Amino acid sequence: MTTITSPAGRLRWTLADGLTLIGRELSRLRQEPGQIIAALLFPIIMVVLFGYVFGSAIQVPGGGDYRAFLMPGLFAMVTFTSVQGVMGRMAADASLGVMDRFRSMPMARLAVPFGHTGADSVVGVPLLAAMAGTGLLVGWQPHRGLLHTVEAFLLLMLMRYALSWVGVYVGLVAKNEQMVTGPPQRRIGSPVEDGDTTVMRARALVVGGVGVGAVVAERCGTAARSAGAAGRSPGRGAGRPTG
């Protein structure tokens, strides 16, 4: 096996292996489309909920548009919460023995974290684009021009990339996916499956509400009849002669 000693050769070796692992992470997402759909829908729902539903009811002190303050906060929130996904994937590879297999292969050691962070940055681009497009639809408008807006988005991507390295470190230290992401939950399936589950839960709530309403109505009717009977009894007894 040829040993690469020059810094330029090591850099090319690391980049080549890192690009391969970026492709691995993206192929993993393609095999689980539910995660992509959920990752795209969550920021869109947040923008529509807080920008369109609540935005008209919230007044900014001193005047101004509420969405001008909302959208930067949502951009920062989504950027910061992305670190949890990197922690989970890194901890899963460490706990399942994937990292040990990588160590036994002739590949650069920095390629693994480079692959995780690079894949997270690639996924972050369409997420920010979807949020920005939804924000424009609900009435958000950048006020500093196109150049400053692009610089702001580049700063968000740089912050996301830096936070992904923090997630890589925490995932390697924890080596337990449940420790960094919480208890295991049901995997996100297809949109049809999730829709059926939502409909079934809604039907259960409706049926349960109807049943509770029937019981309450029956109890109220029984109480009313008892009160009426109790109210009529003294009246009948008062007209009877005593002695």
Side-chain angles (χ1 to χ4, degrees), residues 60-87:
V60 179
D65 189 6
Y66 167 70
R67 299 172 184 85
F69 300 90
L70 170 70
M71 292 305 299
L74 290 179
F75 287 141
M77 183 192 70
V78 173
T79 301
F80 275 97
T81 54
S82 64
V83 68
Q84 186 177 8
V86 181
M87 288 191 299

Side-chain angles (χ1 to χ4, degrees), residues 7 11 16 18 47 73 126 147 169 197 206:
L11 180 61
V47 172
L147 180 60
Y169 175 76
T197 305
V206 172

Side-chain angles (χ1 to χ4, degrees), residues 7 12 38 61 117 130 132 145 147 163 181 187 225 234 238 240:
R12 287 195 301 268
T117 56
L147 180 60
L163 290 173
T181 60
R187 283 186 172 271
R225 288 193 297 270
R240 296 176 183 176

